[in-house]
Amino acid sequence: MLQSFKAAKAARLLDDFRSRFRLMGNTYSATIAGNNYIFTMELQNIKTIFADRFDDFDAGWQRRRAFAPSIGDVLISADGARWHQQRAMLRPAFKKQLFSDYSFYERDIDRLIEQIPHDSSTIDLAPLFYTHALNLASKLLFDESLATLNPDFGTSSDRFVEAFKNVNNGNQRRLRMGRLLPLMLRDRLYEDSCRVVHEYGDIFVQRALEYRQWWNLNALEEPKGGIKPQERYVFLQEIAKNIDDPRELRNHLLGMLLVGSETTASLLSGCFSILSNRPQLWAELHQKAIHIGVPNSDDIRNFDSLNHVINEVLRLYPILPLFSRMANKDTVLPLGGGPNGTSPVFVPKGTLAMVNTHSLHRRADLFGNDADEFKPERWASLKKMDHWTYLPFSGGPRICIGREYFDCHSWRHD
C-alpha cells in the first residue's frame, strides 16, 4: 500500500503497475486501504469480467457513494436493474443526428484556435482543451455553449468551468478513499463546487421540462420561457420525454457532461502532445484535412492515417488506464491461480477487479517488441486482432455509450 501511495505521489503509478505485472504475472492480488483487489491484463480474465460473467460484477457501492453528492446514481455508477433501465433509456438518445452536423461546432473550434498564440511562444494547451471540451459537450447535450454568459445564472462560464473541475477532482479523491471515505475530512470546496454546478444545470433542466410539457401536449403555442422545439436533435430534450424528475434529469446531464468533457480533453491533449513532436506527420494530416473540408461520417471512417494516430494515442495513453468492477458474489476468473498462474483464481464477493488497459496495451506479445513506441502505422496490420486486446472504451454491455462522440470531435481538431 505504501509503495502505491509513493508511486502515485511521484506520478509513476502506472509504471509501478507494469513492474508488478512483470514480477507477478498477468494477474495478481493486493490489499489497499482495506479493499481486496485483483489486477489483471489477461485477455481471458478481461473477457470474463466484462462479458462472460458480466452479471457477477458491478460498478460497486464505493463508486456510487463517491459520486452521490455531485451526480447521484446515474449510468456510470448504477448497477443491476437500475443500470439496465438507464442504459435502455439513454441509448436511443445517442442517435446519429448527434454526430452528423460537424459544422455546428465550427465556431467553437475557431474560438479555440484564436486563443493559441501565433508567435511561436509556449502555451499549455490542456486548460484550453478542457474548456473547449466542456463547450462542445454542452452544445451536444443541451444545445448551448458554456462559452457565453448566462444571464439567468448571472455568472461567467469561467466560474462554472472551475467548479466543474473541482467536482471531478473531488469525485476522484472520494473514490480513491474506498472504504475509508467516512474518515475523509469535510471538503467545503467540493461542496461549494457541487452547488455551483447544480445551480447551472438546473437552468437547462427547467428548459427541458418546459419542452417536455410542449411535447406532451403537442401544442401549437410556444411553451413558457420561449423554449421552442429545436430543429437540431438535443440530447437533454430527448431524455426529458421519459423523465419528469428535475433532479434525476440534472444528474444524467451532469454525468454525461462529466464523462464527455474529461475524456475528450484527455484525448485531444494526448494527440497534440504526440503531434507537436512530429511536424511531418502533423503536416500530412493537416493537408488531408484541408482537402476534405467539413467532413461527413464516411470521410472520418476513411481517413485511415488520422484514425491510426488516434488509435495509437489511445493505445499508449488510454483515457481510462484502469477499469474497476466489484464482485457482487463469490465468483472465479479463468487464469491467475496456481504456481504458474494458469489455473482459475477465486474472487470473493466484494473484491475489486481492476482491468489495467495501460499495461494491456503495452504487452509485447500482443503489439510487438516496439509496443512502447508510438507507431501509428502498426494499425494497418492490426485490424484482425482479438477484440479484447484493445479497450479504449471498455467492453461488453458496459462499453462506452457515446464512443462515436470521440471520433467526430477528435477529427475536427486535426
Side-chain angles (χ1 to χ4, degrees), residues 287-305:
Q287 286 302 315
K288 181 69 179 293
I290 290 176
H291 176 73
I292 293 174
V294 177
N296 56 39
S297 57
D298 289 334
D299 292 326
I300 292 177
R301 186 166 48 251
N302 297 324
F303 198 161
D304 289 339
S305 55

Side-chain angles (χ1 to χ4, degrees), residues 61-93:
W61 61 268
Q62 293 184 15
R63 189 187 301 183
R64 285 193 295 279
R65 185 174 66 174
F67 293 171
S70 59
I71 58 175
D73 185 15
V74 294
L75 188 66
I76 60 174
S77 58
D79 287 317
R82 180 170 175 78
W83 176 83
H84 284 284
Q85 178 190 21
Q86 292 191 17
R87 182 85 177 192
M89 176 193 68
L90 292 174
R91 188 68 190 97

Side-chain angles (χ1 to χ4, degrees), residues 35-171:
N35 293 309
N36 294 322
Y37 291 87
I38 288 182
F39 295 89
T40 189
M41 61 171 182
E42 183 62 61
L43 299 187
Q44 291 188 48
N45 287 349
I46 294 171
K47 182 173 180 286
T48 298
I49 295 167
F50 284 163
D52 293 346
R53 290 183 178 266
F54 173 79
D55 291 334
D56 291 0
F57 294 92
D58 291 334
W61 61 268
Q62 293 184 15
R63 189 187 301 183
R64 285 193 295 279
R65 185 174 66 174
F67 293 171
S70 59
I71 58 175
D73 185 15
V74 294
L75 188 66
I76 60 174
S77 58
D79 287 317
R82 180 170 175 78
W83 176 83
H84 284 284
Q85 178 190 21
Q86 292 191 17
R87 182 85 177 192
M89 176 193 68
L90 292 174
R91 188 68 190 97
F94 280 88
K95 291 183 177 179
K96 190 175 182 180
Q97 293 98 306
L98 280 173
F99 314 105
S100 58
D101 184 11
Y102 303 111
S103 62
F104 180 72
Y105 307 101
E106 202 72 27
R107 186 172 65 174
D108 293 276
I109 295 169
D110 290 341
R111 186 182 294 116
L112 169 66
I113 294 173
E114 290 171 0
Q115 296 180 66
I116 300 174
H118 297 278
D119 58 1
S120 300
S121 58
T122 301
I123 182 174
D124 183 1
L125 290 173
L128 292 181
F129 285 152
Y130 184 83
T131 303
H132 176 61
L134 269 177
N135 287 337
L136 291 179
S138 65
K139 291 187 77 169
L140 177 77
L141 295 172
F142 46 87
D143 203 36
E144 184 168 330
S145 173
L146 295 173
T148 57
L149 295 179
N150 191 315
D152 295 332
F153 189 36
T155 186
S156 70
S157 60
D158 289 342
R159 185 185 176 205
F160 174 83
V161 170
E162 188 63 29
F164 203 73
K165 287 181 183 178
N166 294 335
V167 167
N168 183 53
N169 292 335
N171 284 341

Side-chain angles (χ1 to χ4, degrees), residues 12-13 50 86 105 191 195 218 258 272 310 312 337 351:
R12 54 178 183 82
L13 184 59
F50 284 163
Q86 292 191 17
Y105 307 101
E191 294 174 1
R195 194 154 39 246
N218 196 25
L258 177 69
F272 275 78
I310 293 174
E312 188 72 346
T351 299

